RNA sequence: GGGCUAUUGGCGCAGUCAGGUAGCGCAACCGGCUCUUAACCGGCAGGUCGGGGGUUCGAUUCCCUCAUAGCCCGCCA
């Protein structure tokens, strides 16, 4: 008998989780809010969200958490943060410094950027609960774990050595062993200056590591490496923080995490995921989560780097494209593969998505069986809201691109009517309200602007050309350009006059009829080359010699506006 | 040094895990709508699937090896 292979890579993870035979599934993800959080993080969050949906549909109770690690120290800041602010707050946890934008008035730096991400979840159809690390560390249950870690310092050291030493060369190995001598897994946030670490003049980072631990009194001593403050404080003081490699498994144990995806940097041999799992098992007596490694998401051909200002946030994405497309992009791609998010390829994503819908809603078996199964599995997971019995009605993206570029001369209501007549969807209101349509147009317009920027910044002329060929870009200037009008010859001006009269005399004008009329005017009435006639019309409307196919273009424009524009008197 | 991924027509990518006639989009080319065009439509063409070896009746797919590119292993996911 043939073994049944899963239709989708997600199902392999599902199997691993199911094998654990637990009643309640806990999924988690984490991120440090050190600046604008870019869209790459949604890869792990969406993998979890898809898992959540699968397990919920099978009757499991599922908890999904996002740990917002705002107790991590600021080692450096992104360039868009003011220098004075950087100087003042370097070394503090992100929860302990104010919002860097004065007018904003939110409660902390960490909150500002963390919330920027969290606020997009609803639009992406993500259901997860944010847990702010600074709040978690104030809870007794977390503080109990800190105690356990302190009591197991030697065991923790042993495990860290086991994993980390093989990855180090001789020099680094000595430094590492030296560092471990007086090492403890806990750091303190200074009561005086709020810093948790200090960057020395030589660039070395010195954390406020706990110096000693009195198990009976449950007290630790620390000395702030930034301001020199020394104190002995309770394990329950709420200003202690576990070292990163220990912090992670502690959360796993505390929340009994069943599965947590992690970027490939953490998943490398000897990395924090491996040490975390063993720490979790031996120190906290919990098996640890199912490990899911994933590759970076890149923006075009570049890595997104907060420090280099290549930041593309989920919020920004929502301004220009459909969140379902993003879910699709993540969920169709095996987690270990690179994804290059290309703004200019959004029409292709759109095409693929429509194809998915076609296959999902078709009963026939035209496609290979595997592909059908894959799509039947994936498509519902990409939806933001519940999905329909019938294939949803869509306005072709090309039409939206077109309409979005003539918004300065055609209002929303008329655009809506045009869309209705062009697509032939009579009951458009049922699936896309005029309000939704407005949102679609606005989003498309933003996208068009982004693509224009991309083209401007592209230095490779070949690439530039190929992007331009894919997308019909134009702009309708508010007024005639006087120089252009002067450049037109008598024939061209007469031609436009004749065309204008034709439009004036005919009520509803069909795209093909207009197209034909232009040729007739040029060839028969005026004995000129049609090309000259076309150019003249483009010049008057767009200020350029080229543009979209004229018949359909003119028929989409508002008649009164067109008559006014063609009036050269 | 260790690891991950990629290499498929001009360009961007599917397909590879589960071996059995190589796909999509764009571009190109030809044609249609009395019409050079970019909301169109139809058609045609284009690839020894990075190189080499192996397994197999059969390999883009599995194994080995080499090459090239990108990334990770310093708290950027």
């Amino acid at each position: 008998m043939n073994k049944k292979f899963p239709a989708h890579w997600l199902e392999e993870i599902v199997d691993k989780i199911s094998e654990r035979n637990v009643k309640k599934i806990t999924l988690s993800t984490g991120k440090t809010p050190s600046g604008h959080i870019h869209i790459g993080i949604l890869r792990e969050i969406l993998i979890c969200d898809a898992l959540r949906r699968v397990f919920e549909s099978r009757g499991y109770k599922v908890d999904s958490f996002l740990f917002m690690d705002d107790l991590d120290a600021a080692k450096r800041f992104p360039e868009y943060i003011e220098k004075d602010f950087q100087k003042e707050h370097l070394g503090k946890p992100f929860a302990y410094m104010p919002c860097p934008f004065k007018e904003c008035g939110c409660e902390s730096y960490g909150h500002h950027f963390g919330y920027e991400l969290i606020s997009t979840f609803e639009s992406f159809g993500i259901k997860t609960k944010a847990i702010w690390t600074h709040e978690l560390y104030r809870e007794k249950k977390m503080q109990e774990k800190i105690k356990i870690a302190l009591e197991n310092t030697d065991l923790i050291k042993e495990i860290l050595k086991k994993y980390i030493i093989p990855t180090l060369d001789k020099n680094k190995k000595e430094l590492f062993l030296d560092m471990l001598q007086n090492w403890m897994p806990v750091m303190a946030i200074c009561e005086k200056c709020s810093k948790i670490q200090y960057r020395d003049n030589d660039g070395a980072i010195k954390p406020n590591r706990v110096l000693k631990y009195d198990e009976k009194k449950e007290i630790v001593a620390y000395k702030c490496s930034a301001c020199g403050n020394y104190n002995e404080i309770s394990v329950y003081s709420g200003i202690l923080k576990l070292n990163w490699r220990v912090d992670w498994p502690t959360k796993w144990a505390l929340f009994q995490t069943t599965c947590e995806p992690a970027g490939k940097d953490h998943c490398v041999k000897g990395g924090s995921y491996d040490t975390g799992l063993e720490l979790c098992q031996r120190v906290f007596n919990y098996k640890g989560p199912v490990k899911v490694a994933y590759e970076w998401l890149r923006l075009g051909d570049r890595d997104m780097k907060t420090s280099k200002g290549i930041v593309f946030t989920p919020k920004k994405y929502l301004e220009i494209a459909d969140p379902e497309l993003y879910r699709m992009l993540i969920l169709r791609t095996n987690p270990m593969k690179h994804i290059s998010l290309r703004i200019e390829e959004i029409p292709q994503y759109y095409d693929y998505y429509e194809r998915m819908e076609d296959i999902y809603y078709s009963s026939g078996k035209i496609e290979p069986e595997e592909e059908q199964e894959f799509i039947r599995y994936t498509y519902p997971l990409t939806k933001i809201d519940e999905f329909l019995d019938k294939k949803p009605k869509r306005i072709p993206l090309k039409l939206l691109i077109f309409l979005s570029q003539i918004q300065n001369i055609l209002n929303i209501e008329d655009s809506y009517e045009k869309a209705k007549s062009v697509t032939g969807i009579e009951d458009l209101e049922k699936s896309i309200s005029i309000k939704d349509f407005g949102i679609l147009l606005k989003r498309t317009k933003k996208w068009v602007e982004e693509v224009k920027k991309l083209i401007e910044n592209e230095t490779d002329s070949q690439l530039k050309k190929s992007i331009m060929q894919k997308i019909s870009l134009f702009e309708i200037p508010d007024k005639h350009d006087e120089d252009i009008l002067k450049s037109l010859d008598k024939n061209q001006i007469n031609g436009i006059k004749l065309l204008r009269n034709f439009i004036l005399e005919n009520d509803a004008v069909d795209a093909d009829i207009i197209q034909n009329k232009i040729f007739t005017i040029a060839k028969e009435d005026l004995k000129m080359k049609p090309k000259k006639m076309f150019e003249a019309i483009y010049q008057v409307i767009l200020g350029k010699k080229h543009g979209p196919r004229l018949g359909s273009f003119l028929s989409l424009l508002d008649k009164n506006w067109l008559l006014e524009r063609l009036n050269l008197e």
Side-chain angles (χ1 to χ4, degrees):
Chain A
M1 287 298 284
N2 286 343
K3 189 172 182 263
K4 178 83 178 121
F5 291 99
H8 195 281
W9 51 263
L10 196 70
E11 202 54 24
E12 292 175 27
I13 305 169
V14 169
D15 286 346
K16 278 189 199 159
I17 295 174
S18 304
E19 279 167 18
R20 297 206 164 184
N21 284 320
V22 287
K23 285 186 198 132
K24 196 181 83 176
I25 310 269
T26 303
L27 306 165
S28 65
T29 55
K31 179 69 185 124
T32 304
S34 55
H36 291 293
I37 300 172
H38 61 67
I39 196 165
I41 189 66
L42 287 189
R43 194 162 190 182
E44 66 175 63
I45 295 175
L46 285 174
I47 290 171
C48 278
D49 195 66
L51 288 169
R52 174 186 65 80
R53 293 189 187 191
V54 170
F55 280 107
E56 279 179 354
S57 73
R58 295 181 191 180
Y60 284 81
K61 164 103 174 72
V62 183
D63 277 337
S64 176
F65 299 116
L66 164 66
F67 290 96
M68 202 48 91
D69 290 322
D70 60 352
L71 215 48
D72 291 359
K75 284 199 342 183
R76 66 183 99 82
F77 287 93
E79 64 200 338
Y80 45 80
I81 301 298
E82 277 182 25
K83 288 282 172 287
D84 287 346
F85 185 96
Q86 295 198 16
K87 219 173 177 180
E88 189 181 345
H89 299 292
L90 190 75
K92 288 183 192 172
F94 294 108
Y96 280 71
M97 58 181 91
C99 174
F101 308 108
K102 285 175 192 126
E103 325 75 62
C104 176
C106 70
E107 60 192 68
S108 72
Y109 185 104
H111 185 273
H112 181 91
F113 293 110
Y115 193 72
E116 182 180 71
L117 170 71
I118 294 167
S119 63
T120 65
F121 286 171
E122 195 185 344
S123 303
F124 278 101
I126 294 163
K127 285 185 187 151
T128 188
K129 183 170 184 268
I131 292 183
W132 298 83
T133 309
H134 78 274
E135 287 174 3
L136 178 63
Y137 270 84
R138 286 179 192 156
E139 288 182 38
K140 184 108 182 188
K141 60 181 183 185
M142 189 65 184
Q143 293 161 355
E144 297 288 356
K145 298 283 185 205
I146 294 178
K147 243 186 86 180
I148 296 175
L150 284 166
E151 282 157 16
N152 285 280
T153 298
D154 288 339
L155 175 60
I156 294 170
K157 277 192 205 177
E158 181 199 313
I159 295 167
L160 289 182
K161 275 187 204 166
K162 177 175 146 193
Y163 282 90
I164 295 174
I165 285 178
T167 68
L168 301 175
D169 60 35
K170 205 181 160 193
N171 228 343
K172 283 185 177 166
K173 188 174 149 186
E174 276 170 24
L175 281 170
F176 178 68
L177 287 173
D178 202 45
M179 189 271 287
L180 275 190
Q181 289 278 318
N182 300 310
W183 185 90
M184 296 207 105
V186 175
M187 298 170 291
I189 301 158
C190 176
E191 295 145 289
K192 281 204 172 146
C193 71
S194 298
K195 296 197 175 179
I196 192 167
Q197 65 177 36
Y198 176 68
R199 184 198 286 265
D200 226 340
N201 288 335
D202 60 2
I205 287 169
K206 294 192 171 153
N208 293 351
R209 201 151 270 142
V210 161
L211 302 171
K212 58 184 181 195
Y213 170 54
D214 187 325
E215 202 172 325
K216 274 187 195 154
K217 290 185 185 165
E218 298 177 328
I219 275 176
V220 295
Y222 77 94
K223 185 174 182 236
C224 178
S225 46
C227 73
N229 179 40
Y230 175 90
N231 204 359
E232 296 181 4
I233 52 172
S234 161
V235 186
Y236 301 106
S237 58
I239 55 168
L240 297 181
K241 156 97 170 65
L242 285 161
N243 189 284
W244 156 244
R245 290 222 187 210
V246 186
D247 166 275
W248 205 10
T250 307
K251 289 175 190 153
W252 289 341
L254 193 59
F255 288 84
Q256 300 280 295
T257 303
T258 332
C259 178
E260 173 159 355
K264 60 175 175 180
D265 53 337
H266 292 314
C267 296
V268 182
K269 245 184 195 173
S272 47
Y273 214 113
D274 285 351
T275 54
L277 282 174
E278 188 158 342
L279 288 168
C280 194
Q281 288 156 12
R282 293 177 63 191
V283 179
F284 300 109
N285 199 23
Y286 172 65
K287 190 177 180 185
V290 170
K291 173 176 168 182
V292 177
Y294 66 91
E295 257 288 354
W296 301 145
L297 180 117
R298 317 181 72 209
L299 188 61
D301 293 319
R302 297 177 306 178
D303 263 11
M304 283 191 260
K305 289 197 175 185
T306 315
S307 52
K308 285 191 183 169
I310 309 172
V311 187
F312 186 74
T313 60
K315 198 173 155 194
K316 182 92 185 170
Y317 175 91
L318 289 173
E319 285 172 10
I320 62 168
D322 188 338
E324 288 178 354
L325 293 186
Y326 190 79
R327 287 188 76 107
M328 180 275 290
L329 196 61
I330 299 300
L331 294 175
R332 78 171 179 188
T333 314
N334 191 297
M336 279 316 293
K337 282 193 168 186
H338 277 290
I339 295 179
S340 290
L341 180 67
R342 289 175 199 277
I343 307 296
E344 72 277 19
E345 306 251 326
I346 280 176
Q348 284 192 49
Y349 302 155
Y350 199 95
D351 281 349
Y352 184 88
Y353 200 67
E354 275 201 293
R355 212 173 89 80
M356 263 183 133
E357 284 181 331
D358 282 340
I359 293 172
Y360 184 83
Y361 287 102
S362 78
S363 48
K365 287 202 169 178
I366 311 144
E367 305 304 322
E369 206 174 313
E370 294 87 357
E371 192 180 4
Q372 276 201 31
E373 274 183 39
F374 180 82
I375 283 168
R376 280 177 203 282
Y377 191 95
T378 313
Y379 179 70
L381 296 175
T382 65
K383 297 300 288 179
I384 305 297
D385 309 311
E386 75 279 24
F387 53 94
L388 310 161
D389 302 339
K390 275 200 284 184
K391 193 186 159 203
K393 297 266 196 298
R394 281 183 184 276
I395 299 170
L397 186 59
K398 283 184 179 176
L399 181 60
L400 284 173
I401 292 171
F402 179 88
L403 290 173
S404 75
Q405 292 179 96
I406 59 169
Q407 283 305 290
N408 55 342
I409 58 158
L410 194 70
N411 62 35
I412 295 269
E413 289 76 17
D414 291 339
S415 301
Y416 192 64
E417 287 308 313
K418 291 285 183 194
K420 222 193 260 184
S421 69
V422 171
T423 56
I425 306 172
E426 285 299 323
D427 54 349
L428 191 62
E429 294 87 352
K430 279 187 189 164
S431 38
I432 301 169
S433 68
I434 190 153
K435 197 179 155 215
D436 294 340
F437 179 77
I439 294 167
L440 281 178
L441 268 188
K442 200 175 159 194
R443 191 166 74 192
T444 311
K445 190 160 193 276
K446 268 269 188 192
W447 173 77
V448 168
E449 282 161 15
E450 281 302 310
V451 173
K452 279 184 185 165
K453 269 190 224 162
L454 221 89
I455 292 170
E456 272 170 34
N457 295 335
E458 181 57 64
T459 45
D460 186 322
S461 64
Q462 281 284 29
L463 282 177
K464 200 179 212 146
K465 205 177 150 194
S466 85
I467 300 175
M468 280 163 74
Q469 272 170 341
K470 282 181 191 171
I471 301 150
S472 172
L473 296 177
F474 59 87
E475 228 172 284
I476 299 181
D478 289 337
K479 281 191 221 157
H480 296 300
D481 183 325
E482 289 303 322
D483 291 342
I484 285 174
L485 291 189
K486 278 178 201 155
S487 75
L488 298 177
D489 64 31
K490 228 179 190 168
N491 262 344
Q492 289 176 309
I493 291 173
N494 280 333
I496 287 176
K497 244 180 226 168
L498 288 171
L499 179 69
R500 184 174 183 272
N501 287 338
F502 175 77
I503 294 169
L504 192 61
E505 286 157 14
N506 293 276
D507 281 344
V509 274
D510 180 74
D512 285 346
I513 294 173
I514 293 191
Q515 184 85 2
N516 292 340
K517 186 64 189 173
I518 296 167
F519 277 89
T520 342
I521 290 171
K523 289 207 288 201
E524 289 168 24
D525 297 348
L526 299 169
K527 311 282 182 231
M528 69 192 279
K529 281 189 179 172
K531 186 173 178 174
K532 292 294 260 179
M533 177 79 186
F534 277 98
E535 282 180 1
I537 300 168
Y538 285 127
Q539 293 275 32
V540 169
I541 294 176
L542 302 176
K544 295 194 300 186
K545 287 186 178 178
H546 317 274
R549 195 179 163 94
L550 257 186
S552 47
F553 184 36
L554 296 187
S555 74
L556 284 172
L557 299 176
D558 179 69
K559 190 173 170 180
N560 290 328
W561 180 89
L562 186 59
L563 290 173
E564 178 60 30
R565 175 59 71 109
L566 293 179
N567 187 3
L568 302 181
E569 301 293 303

